[in-house]
């Protein structure tokens, strides 16, 4: 995910060594204490582990839904790859269709909200706790999550609101009440309001403040300590310049940033993997062995499975419902086409980018093993001992830096770009939830955009951990509401799927180029 949900103790430890700005610590402490006392129960509930296990129930909720959708739609993620790529390339795009952005722009916008610090530091946390085998289960969960994205983004387009000026609004807060009403089901409005409230809270915290905070820490680590509000003001100005133009402006930026980020990060990883080509087979052997044997860390195979599923669930947002908001703006009259496009997201985010991070960590020998037994060497905290002694973002930086001395500088650029792209995407998610609650119109939109940019400055200048923890929990509370809606609206998606595939096979779907 674009952020490191949840803010695990391992990741917090990894970031603790980064430079901190001492200003306003007294205010921070007072706000932290008051907010933690008021909201701690909610955070603890959302991320509570299932008794007798180390896995949060929300992870099981997300992965179980992904499994159900995969089976219900006949393993759709493996059947429509070619057509999905054709859609992204614009071969079936009618410029006269209602909507604001192309299939590619919608995909880029949603990806900019998921590809982020979780791909850099979160994966390092997963393999540092679950061992190499966590990578395998991360890939499995990513593949399963493709079915969740397909389901929610199809519904996002089908039940979106289209306005006379050409703008659209969509997402779970629209498809849940409309779909429920169409099927004669009660409670749609209540669920929609709950989702919208959680979305606004999540966008201001995890999709905004946390991003600004981590970007400032990376920048101050390279440039030297300076006030966080400086970073905040710069980011706020840049964010406002983009989001003031709405989804079309956001899409124009993300369609350039996302490919650049992917090429920069994945390209660097491929160079390192190529330089260590003789260890590729060994690395994949470690991944498979760790996934099914006791060579995992926390509980062997079970530990690897838990960490892999957790990282995938927190990285690609499949089932959370946020991506459906961005995909609803696409130009199309066939809702199912955007479901096909959306299922590519978990593959790119988790199967490709997260796996690249894990491979580099393994291939560069960052995880230490006993030369006699082949088992991982553990620290006093029970995590895998690393060659650099680092974990989280530090481990990823050390892995890349061990092969390419200049990579830590690239990492700073990547973190800043990831943070910026996440903020502009989540500003749109929060905006649509805000206007659902308070009404459409220029005044309501500008109010939210101004508030969002104010929170950028606060996030960079302050360290309000409980506030961000609460927003993280709010984002995963979105998944609780959204998946309930998806279960009850699955038959609608299946009808759309069967109708479209029948017409596609019959040559009735027009190809424009």
């Amino acid at each position: 995910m674009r952020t490191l949900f949840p803010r695990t103790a391992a990741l917090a430890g990894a970031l603790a060594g980064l430079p901190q700005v001492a200003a306003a610590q007294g205010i921070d402490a007072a706000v932290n204490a008051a907010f933690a006392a008021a909201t701690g129960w909610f955070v603890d509930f959302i991320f509570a582990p299932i008794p007798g296990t180390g896995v949060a129930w929300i992870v099981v909720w997300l992965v179980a839904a992904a499994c159900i959708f995969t089976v219900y739609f006949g393993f759709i993620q493996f059947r429509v790859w070619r057509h999905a790529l054709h859609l992204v390339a614009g071969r079936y795009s009618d410029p006269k269709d209602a909507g604001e952005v192309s299939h590619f722009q919608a995909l880029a916008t949603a990806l900019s909200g998921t590809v982020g610090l979780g791909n850099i530091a979160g994966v390092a946390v997963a393999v540092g706790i679950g061992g190499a085998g966590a990578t395998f289960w991360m890939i499995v969960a990513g593949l399963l999550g493709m079915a969740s994205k397909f389901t929610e983004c199809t519904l996002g387009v089908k039940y979106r609101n289209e306005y006379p000026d050409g703008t659209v609004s969509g997402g779970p807060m629209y498809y849940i009440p409309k779909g429920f009403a169409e099927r004669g089901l009660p409670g749609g409005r209540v669920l929609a309001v709950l989702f919208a409230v959680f979305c606004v809270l999540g966008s201001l915290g995890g999709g905004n403040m946390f991003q600004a905070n981590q970007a400032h820490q990376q920048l101050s680590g390279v440039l030297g300590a300076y006030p966080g509000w400086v970073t905040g003001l710069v980011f706020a100005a840049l964010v406002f310049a983009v989001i003031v133009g709405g989804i079309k402006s956001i899409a124009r930026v993300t369609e350039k940033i996302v490919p650049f980020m992917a090429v920069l990060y994945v390209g660097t990883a491929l160079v390192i993997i190529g330089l260590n080509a003789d260890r590729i087979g060994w690395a994949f052997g470690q991944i498979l062995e760790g996934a099914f044997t006791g060579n995992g860390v926390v509980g062997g195979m079970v530990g690897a499975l838990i960490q892999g599923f957790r990282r995938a669930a927190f990285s690609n947002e499949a089932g959370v419902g946020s991506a459906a908001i961005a995909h609803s703006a696409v130009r199309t009259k066939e809702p199912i086409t955007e479901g096909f496009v959306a299922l590519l997201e978990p593959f790119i985010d988790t199967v490709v980018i997260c796996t690249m991070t894990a491979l580099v960590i393994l291939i560069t020998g960052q995880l230490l093993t006993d030369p006699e037994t082949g088992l991982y060497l553990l620290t006093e905290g029970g995590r895998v001992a690393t060659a650099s002694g680092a974990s989280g973002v530090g481990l990823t930086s050390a892995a890349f830096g061990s092969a390419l001395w200049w990579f830590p500088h690239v990492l700073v650029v990547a973190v800043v770009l990831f943070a910026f792209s996440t903020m502009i995407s989540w500003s749109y998610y929060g905006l649509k939830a805000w206007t659902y609650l308070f009404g459409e119109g220029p005044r309501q939109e500008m109010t939210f955009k101004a508030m969002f940019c104010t929170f950028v400055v606060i996030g960079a200048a302050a360290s309000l951990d409980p506030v961000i923890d609460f927003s993280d929990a709010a984002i995963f509370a979105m998944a609780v509401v959204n998946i309930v809606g998806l279960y009850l609206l699955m038959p609608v998606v299946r009808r759309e799927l069967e109708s479209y595939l029948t017409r596609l096979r019959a040559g009735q779907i027009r190809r424009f180029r």
Side-chain angles (χ1 to χ4, degrees):
M1 190 176 224
R2 63 287 158 231
T3 61
L4 307 182
F5 299 138
R7 291 166 60 85
T8 61
L11 181 55
L15 296 174
L18 296 174
Q20 300 288 329
V21 178
Q25 286 184 339
I27 297 177
D28 282 4
V31 173
N32 282 343
F35 204 84
T39 64
W41 66 270
F42 179 72
V43 177
D44 292 341
F45 168 71
I46 292 295
F47 296 124
I50 296 174
T53 75
V55 60
W57 71 269
I58 191 65
V59 175
V60 177
W61 178 254
L62 289 164
V63 174
C67 292
I68 290 171
F69 298 140
T70 294
V71 174
Y72 186 79
F73 294 111
F75 294 84
I76 188 64
Q77 60 266 61
F78 305 113
R79 296 195 287 132
V80 295
W81 269 89
R82 184 178 179 183
H83 188 62
L85 294 174
H86 288 171
L87 290 167
V88 173
R91 296 185 183 181
Y92 292 85
S93 298
D94 185 347
K96 297 180 181 179
D97 284 343
E100 300 183 73
V101 297
S102 68
H103 285 296
F104 177 74
Q105 288 175 323
L107 177 65
T109 300
L111 272 173
S112 72
T114 59
V115 176
L117 291 173
N119 302 87
I120 297 175
V123 175
V125 171
V127 298
I129 299 175
T135 308
F136 176 86
W137 296 112
M138 181 177 65
I139 293 171
V140 170
L143 293 172
L144 292 172
M146 294 166 71
S148 298
K149 279 288 179 78
F150 161 78
T151 308
E152 61 192 3
C153 292
T154 297
L155 291 169
V157 177
K158 180 170 178 59
Y159 293 110
R160 67 187 180 182
N161 280 3
E162 299 176 2
Y163 303 107
D165 63 357
T167 61
V168 300
S169 293
M173 58 279 194
Y174 290 93
Y175 63 66
I176 291 177
K178 284 187 174 183
F180 277 32
E182 186 179 278
R183 300 199 67 204
L185 300 172
R189 173 67 177 172
V190 173
L191 290 177
V193 169
L194 278 175
F195 179 90
V197 170
F198 291 142
C199 186
V200 169
L201 294 173
S203 72
L204 294 176
N208 181 340
M209 294 174 65
F210 180 62
Q211 304 301 319
N213 186 273
Q214 296 307 296
H216 173 68
Q217 290 188 23
Q218 283 291 315
L219 288 169
S220 61
V222 173
L223 303 176
Y226 66 93
W229 59 264
V230 175
T231 298
L233 285 177
V234 172
F235 265 90
L238 292 173
V239 168
F240 185 79
V242 174
I243 68 176
V244 72
I247 185 60
K248 292 182 179 179
S249 176
I250 293 172
R252 284 194 295 268
V253 173
T254 57
E255 73 174 342
K256 297 177 177 64
I257 289 182
V258 169
F260 176 75
M261 291 191 309
V263 170
L264 176 68
Y265 192 76
V266 175
T268 304
L270 287 173
V271 169
I272 295 175
I273 292 171
L275 293 173
N276 297 272
D278 59 318
R279 291 174 61 82
I280 295 176
W282 170 85
F284 278 107
Q286 289 291 300
I287 290 172
L288 291 173
E289 181 181 357
F292 296 102
T293 71
N295 198 29
V297 183
V298 183
M301 172 185 168
V302 175
L305 185 150
I306 289 172
Q307 292 303 318
F309 275 13
R310 176 181 295 168
R311 175 46 40 207
F314 295 154
S315 178
N316 59 49
E317 296 179 24
V320 171
S322 53
I325 301 174
H327 284 282
S328 297
V330 72
R331 285 191 296 270
T332 186
K333 60 178 175 292
E334 299 283 357
I336 207 73
T337 60
E338 200 56 21
F340 292 159
V341 171
L343 61 76
L344 297 174
E345 286 172 31
F347 184 84
I348 296 170
D349 176 274
T350 305
V351 178
V352 176
I353 299 180
C354 288
T355 301
M356 286 294 175
T357 301
L359 282 174
V360 171
I361 291 172
L362 295 174
I363 283 176
T364 56
Q366 294 300 308
L367 303 185
L368 301 181
T369 58
D370 187 312
E372 295 183 3
T373 64
L375 298 177
Y376 291 113
L377 296 175
L378 304 182
T379 64
E380 292 183 0
R383 296 182 176 86
V384 181
T386 61
S388 63
S391 61
V393 68
L395 175 57
T396 303
S397 181
F400 278 82
S402 66
L404 301 171
W405 63 269
W406 44 264
F407 179 77
H409 300 286
V410 174
L411 184 65
V412 175
V413 175
V415 168
V416 170
L417 287 176
F418 286 167
F420 177 68
S421 66
T422 295
M423 283 190 280
I424 61 177
S425 293
W426 271 89
S427 74
Y428 182 71
Y429 300 160
L431 171 65
K432 287 303 174 181
W434 180 268
T435 55
Y436 177 81
L437 293 171
F438 299 104
E440 303 277 352
R443 182 172 58 85
Q444 293 91 329
E445 291 189 6
M446 190 55 65
T447 298
F448 179 82
K449 290 172 183 177
M451 180 173 64
F452 190 87
C453 290
T454 300
F455 273 80
V456 174
V457 180
I458 295 173
S463 181
L464 307 176
D465 290 344
V467 176
I468 298 174
D469 287 345
F470 175 74
S471 75
D472 288 357
I475 287 177
F476 286 97
M478 289 163 58
V480 178
V481 176
N482 182 51
I483 288 175
V484 169
L486 296 184
Y487 282 145
L488 294 174
L489 297 177
M490 286 192 303
V492 176
V493 178
R494 184 149 71 178
R495 286 197 301 270
E496 291 284 332
L497 175 62
E498 292 172 351
S499 171
Y500 184 85
L501 291 180
T502 298
R503 287 180 287 128
L504 181 65
R505 286 190 290 265
Q508 297 173 6
I509 303 297
R510 182 181 175 187
R511 185 166 175 165
F512 288 85
R513 63 184 178 90

